[in-house]
Every structure is written in structure tokens, then in C-alpha cells.
Amino acid sequence: MGSDAHPDLDRATCSAALAAFIAEARDLRLAAAADPVIERRRANLRAWQAARLARTHADLLASERYGEAAAFFLSDLYGPKDFGERDSELERILPLMTTILPVSGLRTLLLAIEVDALSERLDAAMVGVLGARLDAPDLSDNAYASAYREVGDRPGRETQIRLIGETGEALDAFAQKPFVRMTLKMMHGPARMAGLGELHAFLERGFDAFRTMRGASEFLDFIVSRERAFSVALLSGGTQPS
């Protein structure tokens, strides 16, 4: 459920949706981890996708203005990183967070976790279609494109890309709040002592990346338009945008 379709999500609805998406992502990760072959193939798929993202957005990664935000996007939101630790921390303190966080903060977390769950779902489908082709380290563009079309799910791909943009917009708004940085710095030590280090680090990285960018609209337009072009090209029979 994307927040643009539900701008009036209340606290209870956010909490329930967060719990559902965390559970979905966790179950998909556990299912992959239960089979060493599937786990290895999943890792190889994500490594291929990370390399592709780095090629597609090389100029943003090299940009003085956008480099930090691009690195955050391609590692913490849309890349190969395993978010199991972050999500398990969030699941553990979800009752507390839904009490103390403003609803806007809950919606921001909801977007990020929904991206995580949807990405796990799509990656699991890709692993199932690619199978043994992921045992070799050199998956071809053609093999990836063919599997992408076989999985299909155009609505899911479109939702994934839309959620990426919405998450960026929410993080940008989050980073404009002057009290947030002070709060994050004050919570650095206590969060680690409470076993919430990865969740807190994720929030800190996101805040710093967007604060230093001084406006994210152009950056997000680049990311979303390129990823849409890539998806349309693959679904239309190509291997990359023309």
C-alpha cells in the first residue's frame, strides 16, 4: 500500500501495515536462507543488480552534490544489502515507535519497509525463474532481461519504482526538520546500547545523505525516470533503454 494512495493513514493503520511488511520480508529472507543453493543464487542476483544500478547511475554516484544520496539509495533502499537486522530491530520496538513517533515518521518508515518487502518478493520470483543460471558469476544481460519478462508483474515493478521516489521525498522532508539531527546525535549511544544500532544507523545515513543534497527533486527525478525506462525496456523485449 503506497502512501500516495492513503495520505490519511492513521497511527494504527501504519502500525499494522509496518508489521505486515516486516513479517513478509522476514519470511522471504528465511525461506531463502533455509536452502544454501537458493541463498547463494539470491546473493548473486543482488550482486548483479547492484552492479547494474552502479552503471546506470554512475554520474550520480560521482556527483559532488548527489553522490552521498546516490550511495545511500543504491545500498540502503534499492540495492543488495540485507535488511534483516534493521527490520528485526524495528519489529522488536514497533509498539514503542508507534507510540512516540509522529505519524509522518511512521509513514516514512512504512515506505522504506514496503520497498524492502516488495523487492524481496520480486527477487524471489527472479531467483525461481533464473535457477541454475545464477550459479555462474557472469549472468548475461539477455538472461536477466528474459527472466524479468517471464516474471512479469508490471504493476509490482511500477509500484517498486514509485515507492522508491516516495521514500526519497519522505526522507527529504525528514531531513529538513532542524531538530532531527540533534535528536539523532543524542540517540546514537543509547540506540546502540539498546540493540538498535542498525535501525539508528539507517536513519542517520538517510538524514545525512538528504541534508547535504540541498533539495532532492532533481535527484529523485533522475532515479525514477531511469528506473522506469529500464523496466519498460526489459518488459518490451530489450535489455536496456534505447
Side-chain angles (χ1 to χ4, degrees):
M1 115 185 33
S3 68
D4 67 332
H6 302 275
D8 56 346
L9 284 177
D10 60 21
R11 187 175 296 276
T13 305
C14 279
S15 176
L18 267 167
F21 285 127
I22 290 170
E24 180 183 4
R26 180 195 63 225
D27 290 347
L28 286 165
R29 275 191 284 266
L30 288 174
D35 185 329
V37 173
I38 299 299
E39 186 174 34
R40 184 181 67 249
R41 290 173 179 174
R42 172 181 175 271
N44 288 343
L45 172 70
R46 292 192 153 205
W48 189 96
Q49 291 177 154
R52 196 281 298 174
L53 286 165
R55 291 194 305 271
T56 300
H57 304 290
D59 59 330
L60 299 179
L61 288 165
S63 164
E64 182 176 351
R65 178 179 179 186
Y66 297 138
E68 187 174 355
F72 175 78
F73 248 71
L74 302 188
S75 66
D76 284 69
L77 288 178
Y78 199 42
K81 188 171 184 177
D82 192 316
F83 301 112
E85 184 178 353
R86 180 200 69 185
D87 290 358
S88 65
E89 291 175 0
L90 179 56
E91 187 173 33
R92 181 158 52 85
I93 63 161
L94 190 56
L96 176 62
M97 292 195 75
T98 54
T99 300
I100 63 174
L101 268 185
V103 175
S104 61
L106 288 175
R107 289 177 186 150
T108 302
L109 277 175
L110 176 57
L111 286 165
I113 301 302
E114 186 174 359
V115 170
D116 184 17
L118 181 52
S119 297
E120 288 284 358
R121 194 186 316 154
L122 292 168
D123 285 354
M126 287 289 287
V127 169
V129 169
L130 283 163
R133 284 174 288 181
L134 285 168
D135 293 337
D138 53 350
L139 180 69
S140 70
D141 290 356
N142 284 334
Y144 184 88
S146 176
Y148 194 99
R149 284 188 290 277
E150 186 172 341
V151 169
D153 194 1
R154 186 185 295 267
R157 295 292 184 183
E158 291 174 349
T159 298
Q160 183 187 36
I161 295 165
R162 173 177 56 78
L163 287 171
I164 287 291
E166 290 179 13
T167 305
E169 291 169 359
L171 282 167
D172 189 39
F174 181 64
Q176 306 311 314
K177 301 182 184 300
F179 64 87
V180 169
R181 181 57 179 162
M182 183 187 308
T183 302
L184 286 172
K185 287 179 71 70
M186 288 173 56
M187 289 301 297
H188 185 87
R192 292 197 174 280
M193 290 178 63
L196 305 175
E198 183 51 37
L199 176 60
H200 188 268
F202 168 78
L203 293 173
E204 280 192 310
R205 288 192 297 268
F207 178 88
D208 289 341
F210 278 80
R211 182 174 60 91
T212 58
M213 197 165 27
R214 305 179 306 281
S217 294
E218 185 180 55
F219 168 78
L220 294 173
D221 285 345
F222 281 138
I223 294 280
V224 169
S225 63
R226 290 172 182 179
E227 291 306 302
R228 280 189 177 138
F230 180 78
S231 183
V232 167
L234 266 58
L235 290 169
S236 300
T239 58
Q240 58 186 353
S242 56

